[in-house]
Amino acid sequence: MNVLTARNFHKLLLTLTVRYRLNYTQPPIDYLKSDTAAIFGVGTGIYTIPDISAILGLPQAKVKRWLLEYWNARFGKSSGSAFSDGSGRDLVTNFYTLIEFFAFYQLREEGVSTQKIIKAHQVLEKILQTNYPFAKSNIFTDGKQVLFAGVVGEIIKADETLQLTIKEIFEPFCKKVDFNNNHLAERFFPLGKDHKIIIDPKRQFGQPVVGGTNVLTETVFNLFRGGESIEVIVGLYDLTVDQVKDAISFHRNAA
């Protein structure tokens, strides 16, 4: 898995902490309403282009292009916000952008055109009062356009006309995401919820961890790759065999 090494990750974290004047000790930012929120705060995670590529199984070039061309250049221009910091290999973003990338990818897989997705994102930013509308649970698609659940169960077309249509509620495309009471993404399960790998921005700065623990999946995989048996790793970290196997599978698939 092409991710930051522990040493480089902590070096990057230190740099960001100094740059943002210890934002990590500040109260959490309300990303639902704030249009001027900082990119990083308590529980937002830090993700490089290789991180997102490995977690979502997307080519690095595509992830970088999406971030720079769509999120920074288009969405950022319309909202007056930035979605990343740094440049080149040090380009980083947060958990909500990662989830938006997942949503974007899912919508494209459902046949929704890039143009319609971009248009919908810009409209929903204003309606939902958030820079991260695709990180909300009440987003749906019928394969032709982006929709979102409105009040009293209607579906509102996410375009400039905002016409109401009466349709059945579609299954949310974010099948691998847990949402909080405000319908905002809070955890991501890259292998699905029936497996033991979790991306939680409140744990290990958003790096993949095993189940309900703070054990990094990369640590487990490196031990296995170094020759340790699954049984030994289970004993070292008090994990189950399934947890260890999922960590190994996750990194093998991401390689």
Side-chain angles (χ1 to χ4, degrees), residues 207-224:
Q207 295 302 298
V209 297
V210 178
T213 76
N214 282 321
V215 178
L216 291 167
T217 59
E218 185 178 22
T219 300
V220 173
F221 182 66
N222 285 341
L223 284 172
F224 178 77

Side-chain angles (χ1 to χ4, degrees), residues 16-35:
L16 289 168
T17 302
V18 172
R19 182 177 301 169
Y20 293 102
R21 298 184 181 181
L22 302 180
N23 269 354
Y24 290 99
T25 64
Q26 300 297 322
I29 297 169
D30 187 349
Y31 282 88
L32 289 173
K33 299 180 180 178
S34 175
D35 290 330

Side-chain angles (χ1 to χ4, degrees), residues 225-243:
R225 187 170 55 180
E228 296 291 355
S229 68
I230 291 177
E231 290 72 21
V232 168
I233 299 173
V234 165
L236 283 174
Y237 291 99
D238 194 24
L239 302 174
T240 67
V241 171
D242 285 343
Q243 286 175 323

Side-chain angles (χ1 to χ4, degrees), residues 135-152:
K136 304 247 329 182
S137 64
N138 46 356
I139 305 294
F140 303 87
T141 179
D142 62 358
K144 298 179 181 179
Q145 58 195 338
V146 182
L147 309 166
F148 72 96
V151 294
V152 299

Side-chain angles (χ1 to χ4, degrees), residues 121-135:
H121 192 286
Q122 292 170 333
V123 171
L124 293 174
E125 283 180 34
K126 299 176 182 178
I127 295 175
L128 302 179
Q129 297 183 14
T130 174
N131 293 333
Y132 304 98
F134 288 174

Side-chain angles (χ1 to χ4, degrees), residues 2 10 18 51 70 72 88-89 103 130 143 194 204 217 244 253:
N2 189 9
H10 288 293
V18 172
D51 286 340
Y70 301 141
N72 282 353
R89 297 180 62 181
T130 174
D194 54 338
Q204 297 286 14
T217 59
V244 173
N253 292 336

Side-chain angles (χ1 to χ4, degrees), residues 9-80:
F9 177 75
H10 288 293
K11 182 179 179 181
L12 173 62
L13 176 60
L14 178 61
T15 301
L16 289 168
T17 302
V18 172
R19 182 177 301 169
Y20 293 102
R21 298 184 181 181
L22 302 180
N23 269 354
Y24 290 99
T25 64
Q26 300 297 322
I29 297 169
D30 187 349
Y31 282 88
L32 289 173
K33 299 180 180 178
S34 175
D35 290 330
T36 58
I39 301 170
F40 303 106
V42 174
T44 62
I46 301 175
Y47 302 91
T48 64
I49 298 299
D51 286 340
I52 296 175
S53 172
I55 291 169
L56 299 183
L58 297 171
Q60 290 188 33
K62 179 177 289 188
V63 172
K64 186 174 183 179
R65 179 170 62 84
W66 286 359
L67 181 58
L68 296 179
E69 182 178 338
Y70 301 141
W71 270 259
N72 282 353
R74 299 200 185 192
F75 306 149
K77 183 178 180 180
S78 62
S79 66

